[in-house]
Amino acid sequence: MATAARHTTARRTTAHPAEAPTPTGDPARPTAPVALGLALAVLATLVWSGSFVTSRALGDSVPPVQHAFWRWVVALAVVAPFGARRAWRQRALIRRHLGFVVLASLLGVTVYNTLVNQAGVTTPAANMGMIMAASPVLMALCERAGGVRLGVRRVAGLGVACAGVLLLVGGDGAAFSAGDLWMIAAACCFGSYSALLRRRPEGLDGVGFLFTTFLAGTVLLLPAHGVSLAVQGGFHPTPGTVWPLLYVGVASSAVAFFAWNKAVSLIGPSRAGAVYYLQPVCVALLSWTLLAEPTGWAQAGCMALILGGVVLGAGARR
């Protein structure tokens, strides 16, 4: 009986080796992927902040659809050397998930940036950034609907940052125009696109996926681009139009979209969305510096509130 008990105890001991204490005593999640994800989300947010200023600056000289079309043509040229071959190798996988790829292209490439450019015709860049800050709320709601626990600190951080945005929009210096409706639609598109990234098919290469969505999104823009040329005419290439288009094509499209997609895959859309709240702060500072749009103490206080919410929400593990 004693021998049998000892054997039973030995079997129970060896049956669950994972229960043995780790050398650190805490099976904590690795911090390196989280730190990388946060850094990439910050990079994408900073670069995209400049694209809102660009959309505003080109609002009078380049028609919105043509702005979007040439942005993605430039982005395709940049990404093609790295992504075209990978996409070709995974063509069977892409065909199996063609619906997902087309939807991601439509939301993140074709529609989103066209709406942003359309808003830039009549809406100040600072307002554009503030309204886009609504998209993290949609990201968090979509992630929660998918069964992901957001945690108290992350929800609190989103709430604090959102309060700062609402105060910024409703406070001194913020006046809404008809173009803000375009930005609300753009925020919905981007939030949906970011939530959709969480469902990217397993095995689909990141750079290959980026090239495929850029290509599909540009093709989907072709009919609207043709209509714009026929109705509005083309724009005159000058340093004042070409350099901004190169910026949005290379930095805001190729670099920022790759960084954002990778960030979402590492830390999820809700935590990346908390970082995205930095955008109205960055846009307000850039628009004040480059476009001389007004910024006062009320905006500065709201920006501090937004930053506090980002630190609280993005730093929370759960």
Side-chain angles (χ1 to χ4, degrees):
M1 293 286 290
T3 303
R6 283 196 298 271
H7 288 170
T8 303
T9 303
R11 284 195 300 271
R12 288 175 179 168
T13 302
T14 58
H16 302 283
E19 293 178 357
T22 62
T24 61
D26 179 20
R29 288 164 51 185
T31 58
V34 174
L36 176 60
L38 292 174
L40 290 172
V42 169
L43 172 63
T45 300
L46 291 175
V47 173
W48 276 330
S49 298
S51 70
F52 287 115
V53 177
T54 301
S55 293
R56 178 60 175 164
L58 293 179
D60 297 329
S61 55
V62 181
V65 173
Q66 296 178 43
H67 180 173
F69 178 79
W70 287 108
R71 167 184 181 151
W72 295 113
V73 168
V74 173
L76 263 177
V78 173
V79 174
F82 310 98
R85 183 175 297 179
R86 297 186 185 188
W88 177 254
R89 284 201 300 260
Q90 294 191 311
R91 60 190 181 278
L93 180 62
I94 292 171
R95 276 199 302 268
R96 282 202 303 273
H97 300 281
L98 189 60
F100 171 87
V101 172
V102 171
L103 181 59
S105 305
L106 186 67
L107 290 173
V109 176
T110 306
V111 177
Y112 164 62
N113 286 283
T114 304
L115 292 175
V116 170
N117 297 337
Q118 183 64 49
V121 175
T122 56
T123 304
N127 272 34
M128 294 167 69
M130 287 183 247
I131 296 169
M132 271 304 297
S135 57
V137 176
L138 182 58
M139 295 178 210
L141 291 175
C142 290
E143 194 170 17
R144 184 66 188 91
V148 178
R149 273 189 75 241
L150 301 180
V152 176
R153 281 189 60 187
R154 197 172 303 171
V155 172
L158 287 169
V160 170
C162 188
V165 170
L166 291 175
L167 288 173
L168 193 60
V169 170
D172 180 38
F176 271 73
S177 68
D180 294 330
L181 295 175
W182 294 111
M183 279 308 302
I184 291 172
C188 292
C189 277
F190 183 73
S192 302
Y193 168 77
S194 298
L196 189 67
L197 289 178
R198 195 70 164 178
R199 301 179 179 274
R200 193 175 82 188
E202 182 143 4
L204 186 56
D205 177 80
V207 179
F209 172 72
L210 205 65
F211 171 80
T212 305
T213 54
F214 286 4
L215 178 60
T218 305
V219 170
L220 290 171
L221 265 172
L222 272 173
H225 181 254
V227 172
S228 176
L229 284 174
V231 174
Q232 298 172 297
F235 65 93
H236 297 290
T238 65
T241 57
V242 172
W243 284 111
L245 287 174
L246 287 175
Y247 172 81
V248 295
V250 177
S252 295
S253 300
V255 175
F257 266 80
F258 175 79
W260 182 259
N261 291 1
K262 185 65 175 177
V264 170
S265 71
L266 290 172
I267 60 177
S270 66
R271 185 178 283 176
V275 175
Y276 195 75
Y277 273 122
L278 290 170
Q279 185 158 265
V281 179
C282 299
V283 173
L285 293 175
L286 286 172
S287 63
W288 173 68
T289 304
L290 301 176
L291 302 179
E293 292 182 353
T295 299
W297 288 108
Q299 285 88 346
C302 294
M303 290 175 190
L305 194 62
I306 294 169
L307 289 172
V310 169
V311 172
L312 179 63
R317 284 188 180 181
R318 297 186 67 83

